[in-house]
Each structure stands twice: as C-alpha cells, then as structure tokens.
C-alpha cells in the first residue's frame, strides 16, 4: 500500500556515523544499538541492505559503509513504499537532501513543509529593519509554495500559547530587539507568538495545516511544557487544521484533543521507530479515542534513511497485527479495517492536504 509520509526530513548526502543518530540524546555514551530502535534497525533494515535479519551491529555498520550513503538511501527509501514525502526543510544538521532529491531516491513526489521559526531566522540575517523582517515573514507565509507549516515553538517557550496575537507595536519592538542583539535563534515569546498566529492565519486562508512538535525530542525541550493539551486554549480559539506531531508519551492526550476538536489530527511519526515492537500498543491507545479519520502516518525520518524505512515497516507490521486482532474478535468488519488502514496510511493526509 502506498503511503503519504506527512512529516519527515532530508537524509544525509554524505556518509555519517549511524550510531550518532539512533538517539535523541546529545551524547552517545550508551550503546545506541541496545535499544528498541537499535534492535528494530538490525531486524528490519539489514535485509534491505542485503544482510541477514538481526545482523550484528558491527557487521551492519560495515555493510552500510560499503554501500555508501547514496545506495543505502536509495534501497531504504524505495523500500518504504511512499508516494508523497512532506519534508520539513528547516532542520539540516549537515548536508541533506532536498524534497526533490529525497523523492528521486525513494520514488514518489516531494513537497516542502515550512518550519516557520527557520524562515524568520533566515530573514533576520539580512533584514534592514524590524518592519522589513515582519513583512518578509508575511510574504513567505502567504506566497511560498509549501504543503504545510510547522512550528517548534514547544522547544522555545512551551506550548501554552496565548489565544490572541500580541499588539503590533509590541511585535515591532521585539523584532527590533532581536535584530539588535543579532541572536541566530528566535526565542522571544512575543515574536514567537505573533509568528504562530500569522502562520495560522495564512494556513486558514490558504488551506494549509499547521503542524506542532509535541511530546519527546532532544534535551533542548522541557517535556512537561510540550504536552499537547497545553495547546487546548489555542486550538479552541484558532480553527486552522492542526497536526500534533510525535506526541509520546502524551499520545492519549493528543487523541483526546482529536476527539473533541474536529480540526485536530494526531501523527505518531517520531514515536513509532523509537518504540519498535511496542508500536501496536501505542497505536491502540491513540485509537481508543481519536476518530480514525484524524490519525495520520509519518516517519519523522531524518538524516538516516533507516528511520524513514523503519517508520513505514513498523507501522505496516504492527497496525496490521492490531487490526487483525480486532477482526478476530469481531470488533470491526473487513471493510471497516480496510478503510481504517488506508485512511491512516494515505487517505486522511490526502484529504487534509487536498492531494
């Protein structure tokens, strides 16, 4: 079944140390293969690269280096079976593929997801004045050929967003302060709040969803501040289609929000590869409350094509086992099961993004 990977990132266009990217931790002191992600990589990815399943980590790394980044990426991305790749281009910890090159390697079509904080940070490097910066941001939000907006405001100030945008004068002052101190990273809460509200406004007008990073990530965030329920007031006040990314360990809270708000969607992207064989349990917990039409597939693969492939392979395997168990218990009909699986993998995202 073809998939829409509705949130991922580019893969490295150079050989990298796989071990450095098998954790959200800054340090790789613990053996990265001694985790459910590491075990899953050896189980699922090794055969795609021409090795026995569960090949030892050292053998896997040797084979990966022998093939090189291009051939390993081509094999793994093609094996994911993705028809549309929605690529967040705002995260590039080194040279990575563009949406077009990612799709060229894996098949299908590449689309850009705009990370709004990265756009503001790039424009700040050349803006001649606060007004020029704000106008440049608005131009990008309203004209850039993208398929969705994405915010990492949870990393910068948490997810308890004000329900109304700040006063224009306060925004101009915040922009001026930011330009004067020449900080590369946008952290000002006034400017961040304005940016998210303007992205929501542009998304509403253009029919583009707004994605939020929620739940676990690297050590730059505070986990207690990125529970998706922190967005409740904003979601209630701002009716733009909202996609809650990753969500773990708050995936049940995300499912609740999708249950009570028609414009909220849940995406377990980053979660599935990390939990590995527990993916079925996490999916079952989301589907306890979330309407089937509100759940979206993605891999959140980044740097390593293994992550793009694992997202697809684990999703197919463990959602399939979950649905099989429901069929065996007469929970749903075969027609219901087909609609659920096709919906999460493809149809829900196609409808949301008007593909």
């Amino acid at each position: 079944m073809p998939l829409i990977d509705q949130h991922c990132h580019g893969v490295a266009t150079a050989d990298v140390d796989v071990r450095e990217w098998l954790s959200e931790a800054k340090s790789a002191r613990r053996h990265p293969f001694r985790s459910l992600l590491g075990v899953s990589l050896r189980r699922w990815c090794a055969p795609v690269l021409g090795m026995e399943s569960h090949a030892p980590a050292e053998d896997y790394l040797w084979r990966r280096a022998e093939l090189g980044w291009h051939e390993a990426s081509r094999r793994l991305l093609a094996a994911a079976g993705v028809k549309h790749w929605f690529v967040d281009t705002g995260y590039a910890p080194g040279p990575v593929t563009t949406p077009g090159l990612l799709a060229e390697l894996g098949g299908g079509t590449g689309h850009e997801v705009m990370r709004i904080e990265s756009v503001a940070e790039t424009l700040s490097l050349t803006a001649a004045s606060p007004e020029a910066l704000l106008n440049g941001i608005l131009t990008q939000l309203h004209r850039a050929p993208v398929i969705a907006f994405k915010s990492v405001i949870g990393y910068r100030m948490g997810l308890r967003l004000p329900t109304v945008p700040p006063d224009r004068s306060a925004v101009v002052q915040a922009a001026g302060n930011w330009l004067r101190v020449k900080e590369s990273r946008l952290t000002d809460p006034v400017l961040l709040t304005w940016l998210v509200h303007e992205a929501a406004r542009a998304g509403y007008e253009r029919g583009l969803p707004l994605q939020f990073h929620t739940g676990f990530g690297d050590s730059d965030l505070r986990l207690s501040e990125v529970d998706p329920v922190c967005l409740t007031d904003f979601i209630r006040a701002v009716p733009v289609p909202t996609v809650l990314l990753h969500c773990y360990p708050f995936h049940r809270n995300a499912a609740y929000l999708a249950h009570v708000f028609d414009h909220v969607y849940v995406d377990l992207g980053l979660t599935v590869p990390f939990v590995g064989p527990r993916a079925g349990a996490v999916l079952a917990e989301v589907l306890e409350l979330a309407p089937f039409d509100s759940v979206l597939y993605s891999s959140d693969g980044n740097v390593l094509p293994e992550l793009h492939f694992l997202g697809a392979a684990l999703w197919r395997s463990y959602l399939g086992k979950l649905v099989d168990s429901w069929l065996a218990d007469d929970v749903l009909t075969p027609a219901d099961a087909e609609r659920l699986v096709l919906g999460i993998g493809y149809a829900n995202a196609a409808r949301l993004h008007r593909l």
Side-chain angles (χ1 to χ4, degrees):
M1 183 189 73
L3 301 175
I4 292 177
D5 191 337
Q6 79 96 42
H7 184 82
C8 64
H9 306 268
V11 301
T13 56
D15 292 322
V16 297
D17 187 344
V18 171
R19 294 166 294 188
E20 293 183 7
W21 298 99
L22 294 183
S23 171
E24 288 293 311
K26 299 294 186 184
S27 169
R29 287 177 295 178
R30 295 188 179 94
H31 197 300
F33 278 94
R34 293 173 188 154
S35 66
L36 286 180
L37 175 56
V39 167
S40 296
L41 186 146
R42 292 171 47 229
R43 156 67 178 87
W44 293 93
C45 299
V48 180
L49 300 187
M51 308 181 71
E52 294 292 328
S53 185
H54 300 294
E58 294 77 12
D59 294 348
Y60 183 88
L61 293 172
W62 181 88
R63 175 60 172 165
R64 179 70 151 71
E66 179 187 42
L67 289 173
W69 77 267
H70 190 278
E71 179 61 15
S73 297
R74 186 191 66 78
R75 293 189 185 194
L76 289 160
L77 293 174
V82 171
K83 189 172 182 179
H84 293 279
W85 308 87
F86 295 179
V87 184
D88 173 0
T89 56
Y91 175 70
V96 297
T97 53
T98 62
L101 181 53
L102 185 75
E104 181 181 323
L105 289 167
T109 305
H111 310 263
E112 182 177 359
V113 174
M114 178 193 287
R115 184 182 293 212
I116 58 176
E117 291 83 6
S118 296
V119 167
E121 289 161 354
T122 298
L123 291 174
S124 74
L125 299 176
T126 56
S129 67
E131 291 80 4
L133 172 62
L134 299 179
N135 290 335
I137 292 170
L138 291 176
T139 297
Q140 288 295 304
L141 291 175
H142 285 275
R143 297 184 184 176
V146 299
I147 201 158
F149 299 126
K150 188 263 184 82
S151 175
V152 291
I153 195 170
Y155 275 89
R156 311 298 176 86
M157 57 174 276
L159 293 177
R160 296 189 183 279
L161 294 176
T163 59
V164 296
D167 181 77
R168 174 74 180 189
S169 62
V171 177
V172 172
Q173 181 178 357
N177 292 338
W178 185 36
L179 293 178
R180 277 192 295 275
V181 298
K182 299 184 184 301
E183 290 182 353
S184 60
R185 195 167 189 255
L186 175 57
T187 59
D188 184 276
V190 171
L191 201 49
L192 284 166
T193 300
W194 172 83
L195 180 60
V196 171
H197 274 276
E198 289 300 330
R201 187 193 308 275
Y204 185 82
E205 294 174 359
R206 298 180 62 186
L208 301 180
L210 176 57
Q211 305 177 352
F212 285 96
H213 179 108
T214 73
F216 89 113
D218 65 37
S219 58
D220 283 345
L221 58 74
R222 291 182 175 87
L223 193 60
S224 62
E225 296 177 0
V226 290
D227 185 332
V229 295
C230 294
L231 284 167
T232 301
D233 290 343
F234 177 86
I235 288 169
R236 183 181 291 116
V238 180
V240 66
T242 300
V243 181
L244 305 173
L245 300 172
H246 318 321
C247 304
Y248 189 86
F250 310 115
H251 48 284
R252 278 175 156 156
N253 293 355
Y256 155 74
L257 291 172
H259 182 89
V260 296
F261 294 108
D262 289 343
H263 59 290
V264 173
Y265 297 80
V266 181
D267 171 352
L268 295 175
L270 177 63
T271 300
V272 169
F274 275 90
V275 302
R278 293 290 296 165
V282 176
L283 282 162
E285 289 170 349
V286 166
L287 293 171
E288 289 170 356
L289 277 185
F292 297 163
D293 292 346
S294 70
V295 182
L296 307 174
Y297 165 75
S298 83
S299 67
D300 194 46
N302 70 93
V303 180
L304 298 180
E306 283 89 344
L307 300 176
H308 299 72
F309 169 69
L310 273 178
L314 293 169
W315 179 84
R316 284 189 174 101
S317 177
Y318 291 103
L319 181 60
K321 291 176 180 178
L322 173 64
V323 170
D324 282 347
S325 71
W326 288 351
L327 286 168
D329 288 344
D330 199 27
V331 173
L332 36 65
T333 68
D336 293 331
E338 183 175 356
R339 186 174 189 275
L340 186 159
V341 173
L342 290 173
I344 297 175
Y346 191 95
N348 296 345
R351 183 176 61 254
L352 175 61
H353 296 90
R354 304 178 185 182
L355 290 179

